[in-house]
């Protein structure tokens, strides 16, 4: 049986994973299901954007490996901003290797992702050992993992039985896997709808969200916040729709767009609550 629509607050009370609970509580407290993806290459732009969007988001998504002038103090500042504005951090690392290697990539190197990123993600392509590897580092730290069960891009291979197997892998490791990068609700997928009560509570974080354009020149596809919330997604991930496409970042425009997307995501949620 599919779930009736549940509020973020209700889900927060019951969720067994600390990172998932923290995210659901933050969403409820800030009335924001918006995650801003800060895909810029200069340290100054990265930190300025985060400071300005901070009040409007539940989560900041990073690709720290694209920052040209990366230095460890960036992480300390990011953590200060996370406390100042009350948001969680999601390094979009998309791990995809054997367990031993991903454990090293997660814990070590220049970025030491596990030490500061509340949530990270992985491709399920290697099978369950990728979860075991990442959990060996992340679980003791109270982190949460998302599996990429679907992608937003044209021609994505993550469909059908691949998606279904990803959900089964997550269900078997739901002490560490808190949900998915996907385009719709993943609850109940791969279960027999006739004989199983659906007790899944996976978070679905959804990229490919834009209010003004339908895609880019490199295969990205956008839907509106209302479309993705209606499809059963929980968090909208927005990048260029908020920080723009040009080389120069217009910080006032960034703030206006963050507020616009927060309002759109939240009103889509409130509509569903009232159904
Ligand atoms: O299927 C996906 C998965 C991810 S995590 N499609 C995506 O676009 N992403 C990420 O979301 C991508 O790496 C980028 O950081 C962000 C979308 O950015 P935008 O500028 O297109 O909104």
């Amino acid at each position: 049986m599919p779930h009736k629509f549940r509020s973020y607050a209700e889900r927060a009370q019951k969720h067994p994973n600390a990172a998932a609970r923290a995210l659901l509580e933050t969403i409820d407290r800030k009335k924001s299901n918006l995650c801003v993806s800060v895909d810029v290459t200069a340290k100054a732009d990265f930190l300025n954007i985060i400071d300005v969007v901070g009040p409007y988001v539940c989560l900041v998504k990073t690709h720290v490996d694209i920052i040209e002038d990366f230095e460890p103090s960036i992480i300390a500042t990011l953590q200060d901003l996370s406390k100042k504005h009350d948001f969680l951090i999601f390094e979009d690392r998309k791990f995809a290797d054997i367990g031993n290697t991903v454990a090293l990539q997660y814990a070590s190197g220049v970025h030491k992702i596990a030490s500061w990123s509340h949530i990270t993600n992985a491709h399920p392509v290697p099978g369950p050992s990728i979860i075991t590897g990442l959990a060996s580092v992340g679980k003791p730290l109270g982190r949460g993992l998302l599996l990429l069960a679907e992608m937003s891009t044209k021609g994505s291979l993550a469909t059908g039985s691949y998606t279904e197997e990803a959900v089964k892998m997550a269900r078997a490791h739901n002490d560490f896997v808190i949900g998915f990068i996907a385009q719709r609700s993943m609850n109940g997928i791969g279960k027999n709808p006739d004989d199983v009560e659906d007790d899944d509570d996976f978070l679905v974080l959804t990229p490919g969200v834009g209010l003004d354009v339908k895609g880019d020149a490199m295969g990205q596809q956008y839907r509106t916040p209302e479309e993705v919330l209606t499809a059963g997604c929980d968090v909208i991930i927005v990048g260029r729709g908020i920080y723009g496409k040009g080389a120069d970042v217009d910080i006032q425009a960034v703030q206006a767009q963050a507020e616009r997307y927060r309002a759109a995501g939240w009103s889509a949620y409130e509509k569903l609550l009232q159904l």
Side-chain angles (χ1 to χ4, degrees):
M1 286 288 291
H3 286 301
K4 84 169 197 26
F5 191 78
R6 288 177 299 168
S7 70
Y8 295 115
E10 185 187 342
R11 293 169 64 189
Q13 277 173 8
K14 297 197 183 124
H15 212 292
N17 176 283
R21 222 167 30 243
L23 182 58
L24 287 162
E25 282 165 1
T26 307
I27 294 171
D28 179 56
R29 193 164 54 240
K30 293 184 76 178
K31 297 196 183 333
S32 172
N33 51 26
L34 171 64
C35 168
V36 176
S37 177
V38 194
D39 301 344
V40 294
T41 55
K43 167 187 163 181
D45 290 339
F46 178 77
L47 294 174
N48 287 339
I49 290 171
I50 294 171
D51 200 13
V52 123
V53 302
Y56 307 102
V57 302
C58 57
L59 188 66
V60 164
K61 185 173 87 57
T62 58
H63 283 298
V64 277
D65 58 347
I66 67 173
I67 301 175
E68 301 260 15
D69 45 354
F70 182 86
E71 27 132 351
S73 75
I74 293 179
I75 298 303
T77 310
L78 174 62
Q79 288 178 307
D80 289 345
L81 290 171
S82 140
K83 290 195 188 84
K84 173 178 168 192
H85 295 300
D86 185 22
F87 60 76
L88 298 188
I89 306 167
F90 164 22
E91 166 59 19
D92 181 6
R93 176 61 180 74
K94 296 190 180 71
F95 294 101
D97 214 317
I98 64 166
N100 186 60
T101 301
V102 296
L104 293 168
Q105 291 171 321
Y106 189 23
S108 312
V110 177
H111 297 124
K112 306 187 193 328
I113 294 164
S115 72
W116 51 269
S117 184
H118 303 98
I119 294 170
T120 192
N121 57 356
H123 285 292
V125 69
S129 54
I130 193 164
I131 303 175
T132 322
L134 291 169
S136 72
V137 175
K139 238 181 91 172
L141 297 169
R143 306 306 189 204
L145 181 69
L146 303 167
L147 293 180
L148 285 116
E150 294 180 325
M151 291 197 70
S152 60
T153 36
K154 262 182 215 142
S156 163
L157 303 181
T159 61
S161 61
Y162 182 93
T163 302
E164 196 168 304
E165 289 306 317
V167 177
K168 289 183 188 163
M169 269 169 59
R171 207 172 275 135
H173 298 86
N174 66 4
D175 51 347
F176 185 53
V177 182
I178 61 173
F180 302 96
I181 297 294
Q183 297 291 315
R184 60 198 159 107
S185 171
M186 294 283 113
N187 292 340
I189 286 187
K191 283 184 173 174
N192 181 342
D194 296 329
D195 61 11
V196 188
E197 178 66 21
D198 176 10
D199 57 356
D200 289 339
D201 189 12
F202 291 121
L203 285 162
V204 176
L205 281 63
T206 303
V209 176
L211 282 164
D212 302 318
V213 288
K214 289 281 153 217
D216 68 7
M218 296 188 194
Q220 178 67 297
Q221 307 176 109
Y222 294 118
R223 292 182 298 162
T224 64
E226 180 153 7
E227 284 171 315
V228 307
L229 265 287
T230 306
C233 306
D234 299 309
V235 172
I236 57 171
I237 300 177
V238 186
R240 287 164 287 177
I242 287 179
Y243 65 80
K245 291 175 194 71
D248 295 324
V249 174
D250 174 348
I251 215 72
Q252 275 181 349
V254 172
Q255 181 169 13
Q257 289 300 331
E259 170 51 22
R260 179 181 177 221
Y261 276 92
R262 188 210 63 81
W266 198 254
S267 77
Y269 163 70
E270 286 190 318
K271 258 193 206 167
L272 291 169
L273 259 189
Q274 281 155 19
L275 284 182

